[in-house]
Amino acid sequence: MKLVFAAFVLSAAVFAQDAVTMTPAEKAWQESMNNVKMIGYFTLGDSKELHDDAYVIEKIAKVAEGQWNFSARIQYGGRDVKVTLKVPVQFAGDAPVINFPRQTVQGMGTYDARVLFYKGGYAGTWGGGDHGGTMFGKIIKNDMPQDTPVKIQ
């Protein structure tokens, strides 16, 4: 009986993975966002001063309609935090938009963001508590080992 139950659970898990369908735009975005660096800048409030911004996206995967898992490293304020986040994503035509509403990032705090990805770049707004601003940059394939710090050029 235990063997039958285990086989049922395993087959249900495999079926659930296969049940997630992707549009051509979603497939293209997933392929373009695996093993990449997001390198750019962010602002605070109305200030025109730019601050370095860097993320390493190890992989993304659609897990349900409008829901994606991001395995990433967030580098900010001298920290390098590895996270897996479930992120709501909507598509405006072929352009994905992250809708990150008041989500806690382990070891970093609670944030929200709206970020559009298009033609190898990203741009959007972000907030965390009583502060926020804009963010923008480029997306490049990561050809460095994952433990190498990302430098904004």
Side-chain angles (χ1 to χ4, degrees):
M1 183 68 173
K2 287 182 183 181
L3 183 58
V4 171
F5 180 73
F8 173 77
V9 170
L10 181 60
S11 64
V14 169
F15 178 76
Q17 287 178 339
D18 291 340
V20 177
T21 59
M22 290 195 291
T23 66
E26 291 170 329
K27 288 178 187 176
W29 187 52
Q30 179 173 298
E31 290 171 12
S32 74
M33 288 296 291
N34 286 329
N35 194 28
V36 298
K37 293 177 278 194
M38 295 173 57
I39 299 177
Y41 302 94
F42 71 92
T43 64
L44 287 170
D46 294 331
S47 172
K48 294 180 182 179
E49 182 180 358
L50 298 178
H51 304 273
D52 292 344
D53 203 18
Y55 308 88
V56 174
I57 308 298
E58 294 172 352
K59 67 179 181 174
I60 66 170
K62 183 177 179 181
V63 294
E65 192 59 40
Q67 295 290 317
W68 292 70
N69 276 351
F70 280 65
S71 296
R73 289 172 46 210
I74 301 172
Q75 298 171 323
Y76 170 73
R79 297 186 214 164
D80 188 348
V81 180
K82 200 169 196 173
V83 297
T84 299
L85 301 169
K86 189 172 189 178
V87 178
V89 177
Q90 298 172 331
F91 277 73
D94 64 349
V97 180
I98 288 177
N99 295 297
F100 197 76
R102 304 285 305 153
Q103 190 164 350
T104 299
V105 179
Q106 184 177 356
M108 308 257 335
T110 301
Y111 294 92
D112 58 343
R114 300 294 184 270
V115 182
L116 174 91
F117 294 80
Y118 190 66
K119 292 189 176 183
Y122 66 95
T125 60
W126 68 277
D130 63 350
H131 59 287
T134 60
M135 59 190 299
F136 64 93
K138 61 184 176 178
I139 302 165
I140 58 174
K141 281 292 182 181
N142 184 9
D143 56 359
M144 295 185 295
Q146 290 299 314
D147 60 350
T148 302
V150 175
K151 299 291 183 197
I152 298 176
Q153 301 170 1

